[in-house]
Amino acid sequence: MTDTTKHHTPLHDIGDLDPEGLPSSRSLVKATLLAIVIAAVVLVLAVLPAEYGIDPTGLGRKMGLGALHEAEVASQTVTAETVARADTALQSKTLTLPLMPGQGLEIKAVMKTGQSFVFDWSAEGGPVHVDMHGNAADAAEDDFTSYWIEDALTGGRGTFRAPFDGHHGWYWKNNGNQMVTIKLQVSGFYDEIYMP
Amino acid sequence: MRFSFSRVAGPIMLPMLLSLFAAGALAHGVAEGDAQFMQQSSGTQLLPFIYLGAKHMATGYDHLLFLVGVIFFLYRMKDVGLYVSLFAVGHSVTLLYGVLSGTHVNPYLVDAIIGLSVVYKALDNLGAFKVWFGVQPDTRAAVLVFGLFHGFGLATKLQDFALPEEGLVANIIAFNVGVEIGQILALGAILIAMDAWRRSHAFARQAFGANVLLMVAGFVLVGYQLTGYLIES
């Protein structure tokens, strides 16, 4: 423990080490530019292909780095497909809807992208025209996406996953000349079910 | 007489250092199992949160880089302690504020700023600010500001986990105590390595290149995070 000089003269920067003092402004600018260039090369050749699958030179794929990103995407996709998280409670609704001859009626659920439910409906008294469809919350009146259209069905069941934020449901029309009763059961995740 | 940190703490610190790096450095996110613990924990759990804070600090490669820069010209454990405390104060302020107020800052931008801070510290070590602007910015202030940014980044990540309300403030403070402990461990370990390096005659020659390399790493972090920000938003 004879070396006491360092204790008395704390170092602040590289100028304290170098007998000739701080490096010149010119060499500092050169060093900084060099650092930026090396960093850019490392980013483009290695980091971006491996982390994001961005590979403008194609070298990332050749070096096998692209596989890192593909593996990560695959693992994320599996997780996302296995679980769709919901921030609403599980809901369940059973509706009985009478339809006079010639009458049409709509039932819709307010849903966010990825929310889903299982449904089962049946028409007692005869077949009905059905259009299962959805529209974005702020869409124009006739701007909607149809998922399932049939002219004469006495029932339908399945699962539905909202492809976009908005209102998703059914339009039924009784084209016969007898009264029909629609019985609808919906269980799953949605904000509310309403009759427009 | 010079305090010889390596002589006192070497036998304790070295295995710790090795296990830290063997554990695999994550960025300063939160490991999945730890996140699960935080969400399921109920009430005040001081020791587990202290542990998590220490682990968070000692395994994040981005702060380790910054700390290497900070310690490059620090010799005394007293100075190291001062920098650790400044960082912890900054970190605590924004972490508490962020979680309690529900402030959400984009984590990519926070991490890009952390990358910039590595560049900043490397330039500072090279004396660039003195040469270019004629002033030496206060490193203590820089470390405090870095702590403030860092706390915001972690607050954003913690909010994604829906932490239980009960005992939240006590747990966050415990986490920050852990951050302090983890930093002392990490800095102590880095100090040993730096000490050994500084004793060698080559140090003066290698210091310039080492800080340029530090700058490279900082720029890579910035580019990596900014690209993530552009892709995700």
Side-chain angles (χ1 to χ4, degrees), chain B residues 21-199:
Chain B
F21 288 105
L26 342 147
H28 63 282
V30 180
E32 222 165 287
D34 295 343
Q36 205 159 10
F37 165 81
M38 285 198 242
Q39 290 181 79
Q40 288 167 353
S41 68
S42 61
T44 312
Q45 301 253 8
L46 297 184
L47 279 178
F49 273 87
I50 290 177
Y51 174 80
L52 289 176
K55 178 176 168 182
H56 162 71
M57 236 4 257
T59 55
Y61 56 76
D62 47 359
H63 4 188
L64 291 180
L65 273 179
F66 180 75
L67 294 179
V68 166
V70 166
I71 219 162
F72 213 88
F73 293 110
L74 286 184
Y75 279 90
R76 292 174 298 180
M77 208 50 205
K78 195 183 91 183
D79 292 331
V80 172
L82 174 72
Y83 283 97
V84 166
S85 302
L86 282 171
F87 180 91
V89 166
H91 190 275
S92 306
V93 167
T94 41
L95 180 54
L96 267 173
Y97 172 77
V99 171
L100 295 181
S101 69
T103 307
H104 229 78
V105 186
N106 188 296
Y108 284 112
L109 291 184
V110 173
D111 287 352
I113 290 171
I114 289 169
L116 271 184
S117 73
V118 175
V119 174
Y120 166 87
K121 192 56 203 152
L123 283 173
D124 187 38
N125 286 344
L126 291 172
F129 302 114
K130 240 189 269 179
V131 172
W132 287 339
F133 310 114
V135 284
Q136 173 62 53
D138 195 328
T139 310
R140 287 165 295 187
V143 170
L144 180 68
V145 170
F146 177 72
L148 288 171
F149 277 114
H150 192 98
F152 257 129
L154 192 62
T156 300
K157 278 161 193 153
L158 286 185
Q159 282 169 56
D160 294 338
F161 299 139
L163 293 177
E165 287 285 320
E166 201 193 335
L168 182 61
V169 173
N171 286 341
I172 292 178
I173 291 172
F175 187 88
N176 281 304
V177 170
V179 165
E180 176 101 10
I181 295 170
Q183 268 203 112
I184 291 178
L185 292 181
L187 280 172
I190 295 170
L191 193 58
I192 295 165
M194 285 297 307
D195 244 1
W197 185 14
R198 278 186 296 228
R199 275 161 203 264

